[in-house]
Amino acid sequence: MKTETIVILSQREIEKMRRAGRLAAQLLQHLEPLVKPGVSTLQLNDEAERWTQQHGAKSAPLGYKGYPKSICTSVNEVICHGIPNAKQILKDGDIINIDVTPIIDGYHGDTSKTFLVGNPSPKAQKLVEVTAECLRLGIAEVKPGAKIGDIGAAIQEYAESFGFSVVRDFVGHGISHIFHTAPDVPHYGIRGRGKKLRAGMVFTIEPMINEGTHEAQMLNDGWTAVTSDRQLSAQFEHTIAVTEYGVEILTLP
């Protein structure tokens, strides 16, 4: 459950978030060479779990509200929360988002990236490129006194200028020693609306951008969200801290 109160983190807590964030970024870097045709999403999961344990951390997704694996692997039309499995083998032309959240010293580092498997179509590559830029533009809006709506507006304007759509059903979130907390950070919105940003707030920005409709459908496993028209979806995510002067990305290697 999300708490409603927005917590302002101390410098000591932000330092712990930096450590967790750095570890999350390093885990994604470690997995990147394994993302190739012929590899199963379960192999990616198992390697992530091995590496996480080796670095003295725990995988936050594992067992979270019943989630069965250590990472999320969302392939092609999967928007988010795809469950790794042995039968899902990556093939040339796929795109896959890998979402990792190690916990170290009680704090969460949450980041994700969409990888190209082999040579996806030009349209798929464009979607991934635009989604990465959406994240960058959203982060660029963050500073004390800005509003949460500024972040969503920047992302929405850019994505829609390419004819893509922004997922409404899943949003960024506050994060600290709690995995999901206030505030919600939608990736669409109106400038000047929403909660005011203050130094010490820490949250994720994680735009999910679809090739077709923004509408999502939940599969029977209760976790996997797919595009309702089964067109492609891409996502990138960073955990950021609002600083006195602007923003710091915590999930960099």
Side-chain angles (χ1 to χ4, degrees), residues 154-243:
I155 291 167
Q156 185 178 7
E157 285 161 15
Y158 190 73
E160 290 180 354
S161 75
F162 289 90
F164 298 138
S165 66
V166 181
V167 171
R168 304 319 199 240
D169 295 2
F170 302 94
V171 297
H173 53 89
I175 186 168
S176 57
H177 60 284
I178 301 167
F179 196 172
H180 296 93
T181 182
D184 281 349
V185 184
H187 305 110
Y188 59 95
I190 299 167
R191 289 182 187 278
R193 297 268 181 93
K195 291 196 162 58
K196 187 182 279 193
L197 303 183
R198 292 167 55 200
M201 287 170 70
V202 174
F203 52 83
T204 70
I205 303 176
E206 46 183 296
M208 287 148 264
I209 308 299
N210 294 352
E211 190 181 4
T213 177
H214 68 79
E215 287 172 2
Q217 227 178 341
M218 193 65 77
L219 297 189
N220 291 337
D221 60 25
W223 283 103
T224 308
V226 299
T227 57
S228 61
D229 59 8
R230 299 303 191 269
Q231 292 197 69
L232 296 176
S233 184
Q235 181 188 14
F236 285 81
E237 174 182 19
H238 275 310
T239 299
I240 64 95
V242 185
T243 69

Coordinates of all heavy atoms in Angstrom, one line a residue, residues 154-243:
A154 N 5.7 17.5 -20.0 CA 6.9 17.4 -20.9 C 6.9 16.1 -21.6 O 7.2 16.0 -22.8 CB 8.1 17.6 -20.1
I155 N 6.6 15.0 -20.9 CA 6.7 13.6 -21.5 C 5.6 13.5 -22.5 O 5.8 13.0 -23.6 CB 6.6 12.6 -20.3 CG1 7.8 12.6 -19.5 CG2 6.3 11.2 -20.9 CD1 7.7 11.8 -18.2
Q156 N 4.4 13.9 -22.1 CA 3.2 13.7 -23.0 C 3.4 14.5 -24.3 O 3.1 13.9 -25.4 CB 1.9 14.1 -22.3 CG 0.7 13.8 -23.1 CD -0.6 14.2 -22.3 OE1 -0.5 14.8 -21.2 NE2 -1.7 13.9 -22.9
E157 N 3.8 15.7 -24.2 CA 4.0 16.6 -25.4 C 4.9 15.9 -26.4 O 4.7 15.8 -27.6 CB 4.5 17.9 -25.0 CG 3.5 18.9 -24.4 CD 4.1 20.0 -23.6 OE1 5.4 20.3 -23.8 OE2 3.4 20.6 -22.8
Y158 N 6.1 15.4 -25.9 CA 7.1 14.8 -26.7 C 6.6 13.5 -27.4 O 6.7 13.3 -28.6 CB 8.4 14.6 -26.0 CG 9.6 14.3 -26.9 CD1 10.1 15.2 -27.7 CD2 10.1 13.0 -26.9 CE1 11.2 14.9 -28.5 CE2 11.1 12.6 -27.7 CZ 11.7 13.6 -28.6 OH 12.7 13.3 -29.4
A159 N 6.1 12.6 -26.5 CA 5.6 11.3 -27.0 C 4.5 11.5 -28.1 O 4.6 10.8 -29.2 CB 5.1 10.5 -25.9
E160 N 3.6 12.3 -27.8 CA 2.4 12.5 -28.8 C 2.9 13.2 -30.1 O 2.2 13.0 -31.1 CB 1.3 13.2 -28.1 CG 0.7 12.3 -27.0 CD -0.5 12.9 -26.2 OE1 -0.8 14.1 -26.5 OE2 -1.1 12.2 -25.4
S161 N 3.9 14.0 -30.0 CA 4.4 14.6 -31.2 C 4.9 13.6 -32.3 O 5.0 13.9 -33.4 CB 5.5 15.6 -30.9 OG 6.8 15.0 -30.6
F162 N 5.2 12.4 -31.8 CA 5.6 11.3 -32.7 C 4.4 10.3 -33.0 O 4.6 9.3 -33.7 CB 6.8 10.5 -32.1 CG 8.0 11.3 -32.1 CD1 8.4 12.1 -31.0 CD2 8.9 11.3 -33.2 CE1 9.5 12.9 -31.0 CE2 10.1 12.0 -33.2 CZ 10.4 12.8 -32.1
G163 N 3.2 10.7 -32.6 CA 2.1 9.8 -32.8 C 2.0 8.6 -31.8 O 1.2 7.7 -32.0
F164 N 2.9 8.7 -30.8 CA 2.9 7.6 -29.7 C 1.9 8.0 -28.6 O 1.5 9.2 -28.6 CB 4.3 7.3 -29.2 CG 5.2 6.8 -30.3 CD1 6.5 7.3 -30.3 CD2 4.9 5.9 -31.2 CE1 7.4 6.8 -31.3 CE2 5.7 5.4 -32.2 CZ 7.0 5.9 -32.2
S165 N 1.6 7.1 -27.7 CA 0.7 7.5 -26.6 C 1.4 7.1 -25.2 O 2.3 6.3 -25.2 CB -0.6 6.7 -26.7 OG -0.4 5.3 -26.6
V166 N 0.9 7.8 -24.2 CA 1.4 7.6 -22.8 C 0.5 6.8 -22.0 O -0.7 7.1 -21.9 CB 1.6 9.0 -22.2 CG1 2.2 8.8 -20.8 CG2 2.5 9.9 -23.0
V167 N 1.0 5.7 -21.4 CA 0.2 4.8 -20.5 C -0.3 5.6 -19.3 O 0.4 6.4 -18.7 CB 1.1 3.6 -20.1 CG1 0.3 2.8 -19.0 CG2 1.4 2.8 -21.3
R168 N -1.6 5.5 -19.0 CA -2.2 6.2 -17.9 C -2.3 5.3 -16.6 O -2.4 5.8 -15.5 CB -3.7 6.6 -18.2 CG -4.0 7.4 -19.4 CD -3.1 8.5 -19.7 NE -3.7 9.5 -20.6 CZ -3.2 9.9 -21.7 NH1 -2.1 9.3 -22.3 NH2 -3.8 10.9 -22.4
D169 N -2.3 4.0 -16.8 CA -2.6 3.1 -15.7 C -1.5 2.9 -14.7 O -1.7 2.4 -13.6 CB -3.1 1.7 -16.2 CG -4.4 1.8 -17.0 OD1 -4.9 2.9 -17.2 OD2 -4.9 0.7 -17.5
F170 N -0.3 3.2 -15.1 CA 0.9 3.0 -14.2 C 1.7 4.3 -14.2 O 1.9 4.9 -15.2 CB 1.7 1.8 -14.8 CG 1.0 0.6 -14.9 CD1 0.4 0.2 -16.1 CD2 0.8 -0.3 -13.8 CE1 -0.4 -1.0 -16.2 CE2 0.1 -1.4 -13.9 CZ -0.5 -1.8 -15.1
V171 N 2.2 4.6 -13.0 CA 2.8 5.9 -12.8 C 4.1 5.8 -12.0 O 4.4 4.7 -11.4 CB 1.9 6.9 -12.1 CG1 0.6 7.2 -12.9 CG2 1.5 6.4 -10.7
G172 N 4.9 6.8 -12.0 CA 6.1 6.8 -11.1 C 5.6 7.0 -9.6 O 4.4 7.3 -9.4
H173 N 6.5 6.8 -8.7 CA 6.1 6.8 -7.3 C 7.3 7.2 -6.4 O 8.4 7.0 -6.7 CB 5.7 5.3 -6.9 CG 6.8 4.3 -7.3 ND1 7.8 3.9 -6.4 CD2 7.0 3.6 -8.4 CE1 8.5 3.0 -7.0 NE2 8.1 2.8 -8.2
G174 N 6.9 7.7 -5.2 CA 7.9 7.9 -4.2 C 8.5 6.6 -3.8 O 7.9 5.5 -3.9
I175 N 9.8 6.7 -3.3 CA 10.5 5.5 -2.9 C 11.6 5.8 -1.9 O 12.2 6.9 -2.0 CB 11.2 4.8 -4.2 CG1 11.8 3.5 -3.9 CG2 12.1 5.8 -4.9 CD1 12.2 2.7 -5.2
S176 N 11.9 4.9 -1.0 CA 12.9 5.1 0.0 C 13.2 3.7 0.6 O 13.5 2.8 -0.1 CB 12.5 6.1 1.1 OG 11.2 5.7 1.7
H177 N 13.0 3.6 2.0 CA 13.0 2.3 2.6 C 11.7 1.5 2.3 O 11.6 0.3 2.5 CB 13.3 2.4 4.1 CG 12.2 3.1 4.8 ND1 12.2 4.5 4.8 CD2 11.2 2.7 5.6 CE1 11.1 4.9 5.5 NE2 10.5 3.8 6.0
I178 N 10.7 2.3 1.7 CA 9.5 1.7 1.3 C 9.5 1.7 -0.3 O 10.0 2.6 -0.9 CB 8.3 2.6 1.7 CG1 8.2 2.7 3.3 CG2 6.9 2.0 1.2 CD1 7.3 3.7 3.8
F179 N 9.0 0.6 -0.9 CA 9.1 0.4 -2.3 C 8.3 1.4 -3.1 O 8.7 2.1 -4.0 CB 8.7 -1.1 -2.6 CG 9.1 -1.6 -4.0 CD1 8.9 -2.9 -4.3 CD2 9.6 -0.8 -5.0 CE1 9.3 -3.5 -5.5 CE2 10.0 -1.3 -6.2 CZ 9.8 -2.6 -6.5
H180 N 7.0 1.5 -2.7 CA 6.1 2.4 -3.4 C 5.4 3.3 -2.3 O 4.7 2.8 -1.4 CB 5.0 1.6 -4.1 CG 5.5 0.8 -5.2 ND1 5.9 -0.5 -5.1 CD2 5.8 1.1 -6.5 CE1 6.4 -1.0 -6.2 NE2 6.3 0.0 -7.1
T181 N 5.6 4.6 -2.4 CA 5.0 5.5 -1.5 C 4.6 6.8 -2.3 O 4.7 6.8 -3.5 CB 6.0 5.8 -0.3 OG1 5.4 6.7 0.6 CG2 7.3 6.4 -0.8
A182 N 4.0 7.8 -1.6 CA 3.6 9.0 -2.2 C 4.9 9.8 -2.6 O 6.0 9.6 -1.9 CB 2.8 9.9 -1.2
P183 N 4.9 10.6 -3.6 CA 3.7 10.9 -4.5 C 3.6 10.0 -5.7 O 4.6 9.4 -6.1 CB 4.0 12.4 -4.9 CG 5.5 12.3 -5.1 CD 6.1 11.4 -4.0
D184 N 2.4 10.0 -6.3 CA 2.2 9.4 -7.6 C 2.8 10.4 -8.6 O 2.6 11.6 -8.4 CB 0.8 9.2 -7.9 CG 0.2 7.9 -7.3 OD1 1.0 7.1 -6.8 OD2 -1.0 7.7 -7.3
V185 N 3.5 9.9 -9.6 CA 4.1 10.8 -10.7 C 3.6 10.3 -12.0 O 4.2 9.5 -12.7 CB 5.6 10.7 -10.6 CG1 6.2 11.7 -11.6 CG2 6.1 11.0 -9.2
P186 N 2.4 10.9 -12.5 CA 1.9 10.5 -13.8 C 2.8 11.0 -14.9 O 3.5 12.0 -14.8 CB 0.5 11.2 -13.9 CG 0.2 11.6 -12.5 CD 1.5 11.8 -11.8
H187 N 2.8 10.3 -16.0 CA 3.7 10.6 -17.2 C 2.9 11.4 -18.2 O 3.3 11.5 -19.4 CB 4.3 9.4 -17.7 CG 5.1 8.6 -16.7 ND1 4.6 7.4 -16.2 CD2 6.2 9.0 -16.0 CE1 5.5 7.0 -15.2 NE2 6.4 7.9 -15.1
Y188 N 1.8 11.9 -17.8 CA 0.9 12.8 -18.7 C 0.4 13.9 -17.7 O 0.5 13.7 -16.5 CB -0.2 12.0 -19.3 CG -1.1 11.4 -18.2 CD1 -2.3 12.1 -17.8 CD2 -0.8 10.2 -17.6 CE1 -3.1 11.5 -16.8 CE2 -1.6 9.6 -16.6 CZ -2.7 10.3 -16.2 OH -3.5 9.8 -15.2
G189 N 0.0 15.0 -18.2 CA -0.5 16.0 -17.3 C -0.5 17.4 -17.9 O -0.3 17.6 -19.1
I190 N -0.8 18.4 -17.0 CA -0.9 19.8 -17.3 C 0.1 20.5 -16.5 O 0.2 20.4 -15.3 CB -2.3 20.3 -17.1 CG1 -3.3 19.5 -17.9 CG2 -2.4 21.8 -17.3 CD1 -4.8 19.7 -17.6
R191 N 0.9 21.4 -17.2 CA 1.9 22.2 -16.5 C 1.2 23.0 -15.4 O 0.1 23.5 -15.5 CB 2.6 23.1 -17.4 CG 3.5 22.4 -18.3 CD 4.3 23.3 -19.3 NE 5.0 22.4 -20.3 CZ 6.2 21.9 -20.0 NH1 6.8 22.0 -18.8 NH2 6.8 21.1 -20.9
G192 N 1.9 23.2 -14.3 CA 1.4 24.0 -13.2 C 0.4 23.3 -12.3 O -0.1 23.9 -11.3
R193 N 0.1 22.0 -12.6 CA -0.9 21.3 -11.8 C -0.1 20.2 -10.9 O 1.0 19.9 -11.2 CB -1.9 20.5 -12.6 CG -2.7 21.4 -13.5 CD -4.1 21.8 -12.8 NE -4.9 22.6 -13.6 CZ -5.8 22.1 -14.4 NH1 -6.0 20.8 -14.5 NH2 -6.6 23.0 -15.1
G194 N -0.8 19.8 -9.9 CA -0.2 18.7 -9.1 C 0.6 19.2 -7.9 O 0.8 20.4 -7.7
K195 N 1.2 18.3 -7.1 CA 1.9 18.6 -5.9 C 3.2 19.4 -6.3 O 3.8 19.2 -7.3 CB 2.2 17.4 -5.1 CG 1.0 16.7 -4.5 CD 1.3 15.7 -3.5 CE 0.2 15.4 -2.6 NZ -1.0 14.9 -3.3
K196 N 3.6 20.3 -5.4 CA 4.8 21.1 -5.6 C 6.0 20.3 -5.1 O 6.0 19.5 -4.1 CB 4.7 22.4 -4.7 CG 5.9 23.3 -5.0 CD 5.8 24.6 -4.1 CE 4.8 25.6 -4.6 NZ 4.9 26.9 -3.9
L197 N 7.1 20.4 -5.9 CA 8.3 19.6 -5.6 C 9.1 20.4 -4.6 O 9.3 21.6 -4.6 CB 9.1 19.4 -6.9 CG 8.4 18.7 -8.0 CD1 9.4 18.4 -9.2 CD2 7.8 17.3 -7.5
R198 N 9.7 19.6 -3.6 CA 10.5 20.2 -2.6 C 11.8 19.4 -2.5 O 11.9 18.2 -2.7 CB 9.8 20.1 -1.2 CG 8.6 21.0 -1.1 CD 7.8 20.7 0.1 NE 8.6 20.7 1.3 CZ 8.2 20.1 2.5 NH1 7.1 19.3 2.5 NH2 9.0 20.1 3.5
A199 N 12.9 20.1 -2.1 CA 14.2 19.4 -1.9 C 14.0 18.3 -0.9 O 13.4 18.5 0.1 CB 15.3 20.4 -1.5
G200 N 14.7 17.2 -1.2 CA 14.6 16.0 -0.3 C 13.5 15.0 -0.7 O 13.5 13.9 -0.2
M201 N 12.6 15.4 -1.7 CA 11.7 14.4 -2.2 C 12.5 13.4 -3.2 O 13.4 13.9 -3.9 CB 10.6 15.1 -3.0 CG 9.6 15.8 -2.2 SD 8.4 16.8 -3.1 CE 7.4 15.6 -4.0
V202 N 12.2 12.1 -3.1 CA 12.8 11.1 -3.9 C 11.7 10.3 -4.5 O 10.8 9.8 -3.8 CB 13.8 10.2 -3.1 CG1 14.3 9.1 -4.0 CG2 14.9 11.0 -2.6
F203 N 11.7 10.2 -5.9 CA 10.7 9.4 -6.6 C 11.2 8.9 -7.9 O 12.3 9.3 -8.4 CB 9.4 10.2 -6.8 CG 9.6 11.6 -7.4 CD1 9.7 11.7 -8.8 CD2 9.7 12.7 -6.6 CE1 9.9 13.0 -9.4 CE2 9.9 14.0 -7.2 CZ 9.9 14.1 -8.6
T204 N 10.4 8.0 -8.5 CA 10.8 7.5 -9.8 C 10.1 8.2 -10.9 O 8.9 8.7 -10.7 CB 10.5 5.9 -10.0 OG1 9.1 5.8 -10.0 CG2 11.1 5.1 -8.8
I205 N 10.7 8.3 -12.0 CA 10.0 8.8 -13.3 C 10.2 7.6 -14.2 O 11.4 7.2 -14.4 CB 10.6 10.1 -13.8 CG1 10.5 11.2 -12.8 CG2 9.9 10.5 -15.1 CD1 11.1 12.5 -13.2
E206 N 9.2 7.1 -14.8 CA 9.3 5.8 -15.5 C 8.3 5.7 -16.7 O 7.4 4.9 -16.7 CB 9.1 4.6 -14.6 CG 8.0 4.7 -13.6 CD 7.9 3.5 -12.7 OE1 7.7 2.4 -13.2 OE2 8.1 3.7 -11.5
P207 N 8.4 6.6 -17.6 CA 7.4 6.7 -18.7 C 7.3 5.4 -19.5 O 8.3 4.8 -19.8 CB 7.8 7.8 -19.6 CG 9.3 8.0 -19.3 CD 9.4 7.6 -17.9
M208 N 6.0 4.9 -19.7 CA 5.7 3.8 -20.5 C 5.0 4.4 -21.8 O 3.9 5.0 -21.6 CB 4.8 2.8 -19.8 CG 5.5 2.1 -18.7 SD 4.4 1.7 -17.3 CE 4.8 3.0 -16.2
I209 N 5.6 4.2 -22.9 CA 5.2 4.8 -24.2 C 4.8 3.7 -25.1 O 5.5 2.8 -25.4 CB 6.2 5.8 -24.8 CG1 6.8 6.8 -23.7 CG2 5.7 6.5 -26.0 CD1 5.7 7.7 -23.2
N210 N 3.6 3.9 -25.7 CA 3.0 2.8 -26.6 C 3.0 3.3 -28.1 O 2.8 4.5 -28.3 CB 1.6 2.5 -26.2 CG 1.5 1.8 -24.8 OD1 2.5 1.4 -24.3 ND2 0.3 1.6 -24.4
E211 N 3.2 2.3 -28.9 CA 3.1 2.6 -30.4 C 1.7 3.0 -30.8 O 1.6 3.8 -31.7 CB 3.6 1.3 -31.1 CG 3.8 1.4 -32.5 CD 4.3 0.0 -33.1 OE1 4.3 -1.0 -32.4 OE2 4.5 0.0 -34.3
G212 N 0.7 2.3 -30.2 CA -0.7 2.6 -30.6 C -1.4 3.2 -29.4 O -1.0 4.2 -28.9
T213 N -2.5 2.6 -29.0 CA -3.4 3.1 -28.0 C -2.7 3.1 -26.6 O -1.8 2.3 -26.4 CB -4.7 2.3 -27.8 OG1 -5.4 2.9 -26.8 CG2 -4.4 0.9 -27.6
H214 N -3.0 4.0 -25.7 CA -2.5 4.0 -24.4 C -3.1 3.0 -23.5 O -2.7 2.7 -22.4 CB -2.6 5.4 -23.7 CG -4.0 5.8 -23.4 ND1 -4.7 5.3 -22.3 CD2 -4.9 6.6 -24.0 CE1 -5.9 5.8 -22.2 NE2 -6.1 6.6 -23.3
E215 N -4.2 2.4 -24.0 CA -5.0 1.5 -23.1 C -4.2 0.2 -22.8 O -3.6 -0.4 -23.7 CB -6.3 1.2 -23.7 CG -7.2 2.5 -23.6 CD -8.5 2.3 -24.4 OE1 -8.8 1.3 -25.0 OE2 -9.3 3.3 -24.4
A216 N -4.4 -0.3 -21.6 CA -3.7 -1.5 -21.1 C -4.7 -2.5 -20.7 O -5.9 -2.3 -20.5 CB -2.9 -1.2 -19.9
Q217 N -4.3 -3.8 -20.8 CA -5.1 -4.9 -20.4 C -4.2 -5.8 -19.4 O -3.0 -5.9 -19.6 CB -5.4 -5.7 -21.6 CG -6.8 -6.1 -21.8 CD -7.0 -6.9 -23.1 OE1 -6.1 -6.8 -24.0 NE2 -8.0 -7.6 -23.3
M218 N -4.9 -6.3 -18.4 CA -4.1 -7.2 -17.5 C -4.3 -8.7 -17.9 O -5.5 -9.1 -18.1 CB -4.7 -7.0 -16.1 CG -3.8 -7.6 -15.0 SD -2.2 -6.8 -14.9 CE -2.6 -5.3 -14.1
L219 N -3.2 -9.4 -17.9 CA -3.3 -10.9 -18.3 C -3.8 -11.6 -17.0 O -3.8 -11.1 -15.9 CB -2.0 -11.4 -18.8 CG -1.5 -10.8 -20.1 CD1 -0.3 -11.6 -20.6 CD2 -2.6 -10.8 -21.2
N220 N -4.1 -12.9 -17.2 CA -4.7 -13.7 -16.1 C -3.7 -13.9 -15.0 O -4.2 -14.3 -13.9 CB -5.1 -15.1 -16.7 CG -6.3 -14.9 -17.6 OD1 -7.1 -14.0 -17.5 ND2 -6.5 -15.9 -18.5
D221 N -2.4 -13.7 -15.2 CA -1.5 -13.9 -14.0 C -1.6 -12.8 -13.0 O -1.0 -12.9 -11.9 CB -0.1 -14.1 -14.5 CG 0.5 -12.8 -15.3 OD1 0.0 -11.7 -15.0 OD2 1.4 -13.0 -16.1
G222 N -2.4 -11.8 -13.3 CA -2.6 -10.7 -12.3 C -1.5 -9.7 -12.2 O -1.6 -8.7 -11.5
W223 N -0.5 -9.9 -13.1 CA 0.7 -9.0 -13.0 C 1.0 -8.3 -14.4 O 1.2 -7.1 -14.5 CB 2.0 -9.7 -12.6 CG 2.0 -9.9 -11.1 CD1 1.7 -11.1 -10.5 CD2 2.3 -9.0 -10.1 NE1 1.9 -10.9 -9.1 CE2 2.2 -9.6 -8.9 CE3 2.7 -7.6 -10.1 CZ2 2.5 -8.9 -7.7 CZ3 2.9 -6.9 -9.0 CH2 2.8 -7.6 -7.7
T224 N 1.0 -9.2 -15.5 CA 1.5 -8.7 -16.8 C 0.5 -7.8 -17.4 O -0.7 -8.2 -17.7 CB 1.7 -9.9 -17.7 OG1 2.6 -10.9 -17.0 CG2 2.4 -9.5 -19.0
A225 N 0.9 -6.5 -17.7 CA 0.0 -5.6 -18.4 C 0.5 -5.5 -19.8 O 1.7 -5.3 -20.1 CB 0.1 -4.2 -17.7
V226 N -0.4 -5.6 -20.7 CA -0.1 -5.5 -22.2 C -0.9 -4.4 -22.8 O -2.0 -4.0 -22.3 CB -0.4 -6.9 -22.9 CG1 0.4 -8.0 -22.3 CG2 -1.9 -7.2 -22.8
T227 N -0.5 -4.0 -24.0 CA -1.2 -3.0 -24.7 C -2.5 -3.6 -25.2 O -2.4 -4.8 -25.7 CB -0.4 -2.4 -25.9 OG1 0.0 -3.5 -26.7 CG2 0.9 -1.7 -25.4
S228 N -3.6 -2.9 -25.2 CA -4.9 -3.6 -25.6 C -4.9 -3.9 -27.1 O -5.6 -4.8 -27.5 CB -6.1 -2.8 -25.1 OG -6.1 -1.5 -25.7
D229 N -4.1 -3.1 -27.9 CA -4.1 -3.4 -29.3 C -2.9 -4.3 -29.7 O -2.7 -4.5 -30.9 CB -4.1 -2.1 -30.1 CG -2.9 -1.2 -29.8 OD1 -2.0 -1.7 -29.1 OD2 -2.8 -0.1 -30.3
R230 N -2.1 -4.7 -28.7 CA -1.0 -5.6 -28.9 C 0.1 -5.0 -29.7 O 1.0 -5.7 -30.2 CB -1.4 -7.0 -29.5 CG -2.3 -7.8 -28.6 CD -1.8 -8.0 -27.2 NE -2.6 -9.0 -26.4 CZ -3.6 -8.7 -25.6 NH1 -4.0 -7.4 -25.5 NH2 -4.3 -9.6 -25.0
Q231 N 0.1 -3.7 -29.8 CA 1.3 -3.0 -30.4 C 2.4 -2.8 -29.4 O 2.2 -3.1 -28.2 CB 0.9 -1.7 -31.0 CG 0.0 -1.8 -32.3 CD -0.1 -0.6 -33.1 OE1 0.9 -0.2 -33.7 NE2 -1.3 0.1 -33.1
L232 N 3.6 -2.4 -29.8 CA 4.7 -2.3 -28.9 C 4.6 -1.3 -27.8 O 3.9 -0.3 -27.9 CB 6.0 -2.0 -29.7 CG 6.4 -3.1 -30.8 CD1 7.6 -2.5 -31.5 CD2 6.7 -4.4 -30.1
S233 N 5.3 -1.5 -26.7 CA 5.4 -0.6 -25.6 C 6.9 -0.6 -25.1 O 7.5 -1.6 -25.1 CB 4.5 -1.0 -24.4 OG 4.6 -0.1 -23.4
A234 N 7.4 0.6 -24.8 CA 8.7 0.8 -24.3 C 8.7 1.6 -23.0 O 7.8 2.3 -22.7 CB 9.6 1.5 -25.3
Q235 N 9.7 1.4 -22.1 CA 9.8 2.1 -20.9 C 11.3 2.3 -20.5 O 12.1 1.5 -20.7 CB 9.1 1.3 -19.8 CG 9.1 1.9 -18.4 CD 8.6 1.1 -17.3 OE1 8.5 -0.2 -17.5 NE2 8.3 1.6 -16.1
F236 N 11.5 3.5 -19.8 CA 12.8 3.7 -19.2 C 12.5 4.3 -17.8 O 11.5 5.0 -17.6 CB 13.6 4.7 -20.0 CG 14.3 4.1 -21.2 CD1 13.5 4.0 -22.4 CD2 15.6 3.7 -21.2 CE1 14.1 3.4 -23.5 CE2 16.2 3.2 -22.3 CZ 15.4 3.0 -23.5
E237 N 13.3 4.1 -16.8 CA 13.1 4.5 -15.5 C 14.3 4.9 -14.7 O 15.3 4.2 -14.8 CB 12.4 3.4 -14.7 CG 12.2 3.7 -13.2 CD 11.5 2.6 -12.4 OE1 11.6 1.4 -12.9 OE2 11.0 2.8 -11.3
H238 N 14.3 6.0 -14.0 CA 15.3 6.4 -13.1 C 14.7 6.8 -11.8 O 13.5 7.2 -11.7 CB 16.1 7.6 -13.6 CG 17.2 7.3 -14.5 ND1 18.2 6.4 -14.2 CD2 17.6 7.9 -15.7 CE1 19.1 6.3 -15.2 NE2 18.7 7.2 -16.1
T239 N 15.4 6.6 -10.7 CA 15.0 7.2 -9.4 C 15.8 8.5 -9.2 O 17.0 8.5 -9.4 CB 15.4 6.2 -8.2 OG1 14.7 4.9 -8.4 CG2 15.1 6.8 -6.9
I240 N 15.1 9.5 -8.9 CA 15.7 10.9 -8.8 C 15.4 11.5 -7.4 O 14.5 11.2 -6.7 CB 15.2 11.8 -9.9 CG1 13.7 12.1 -9.8 CG2 15.5 11.2 -11.3 CD1 13.4 13.3 -9.1
A241 N 16.3 12.4 -7.0 CA 16.1 13.2 -5.8 C 16.0 14.7 -6.2 O 16.8 15.2 -7.1 CB 17.3 13.0 -4.9
V242 N 15.0 15.4 -5.6 CA 14.9 16.8 -5.8 C 16.0 17.4 -4.9 O 16.0 17.1 -3.7 CB 13.5 17.3 -5.5 CG1 13.4 18.8 -5.8 CG2 12.4 16.6 -6.2
T243 N 16.9 18.3 -5.5 CA 17.9 18.9 -4.7 C 17.6 20.4 -4.5 O 16.6 20.9 -5.1 CB 19.3 18.8 -5.3 OG1 19.3 19.6 -6.5 CG2 19.6 17.3 -5.7

